[in-house]
Amino acid sequence: MAGAWLEIFKTGTHTSGNGVTKTYTAADLEHIVKTYNEQKEHEAPLVIGHPKTDSPAYGWAKELKIAGEKILAYVDQVADDIVNAV
């Protein structure tokens, strides 16, 4: 599949897989997006959930942006089975 923008995160209170609860603000999202986009060494894998090994990867996050109170990721090389599932 060609690239597409997908929602990956939003403001609010979230609990991590480790049981840590944190509230994320619009400023936090701005920091996340800026930090991710400035680095070029890593593309985050598109996974279902948060597997410990980050696999299997169904695509790759090329870039992040903010839309309202959400973070969107531009994903590329998305596996057809994921596109069909969505």
Side-chain angles (χ1 to χ4, degrees), residues 48 79-86:
I48 297 174
D80 288 339
D81 54 342
I82 293 300
V83 173
N84 294 335
V86 173

Side-chain angles (χ1 to χ4, degrees), residues 2-86:
W5 288 99
L6 300 177
E7 178 184 333
I8 61 167
F9 197 72
K10 62 183 177 179
T11 57
T13 302
H14 303 276
T15 302
S16 72
N18 303 1
V20 176
T21 299
K22 181 177 177 185
T23 300
Y24 292 87
T25 65
D28 293 322
L29 271 57
E30 290 174 16
H31 176 73
I32 291 167
V33 168
K34 181 178 185 286
T35 301
Y36 187 83
N37 289 340
E38 285 178 350
Q39 64 82 37
K40 300 298 178 200
E41 299 80 38
H42 174 73
E43 290 181 346
L46 175 62
V47 298
I48 297 174
H50 286 280
K52 291 181 182 180
T53 60
D54 286 331
S55 66
Y58 295 101
W60 303 95
K62 304 289 186 185
E63 179 184 358
L64 302 181
K65 72 177 181 180
I66 294 175
E69 294 190 351
K70 299 175 182 178
I71 293 178
L72 304 181
Y74 184 79
V75 295
D76 197 9
Q77 301 172 329
V78 179
D80 288 339
D81 54 342
I82 293 300
V83 173
N84 294 335
V86 173

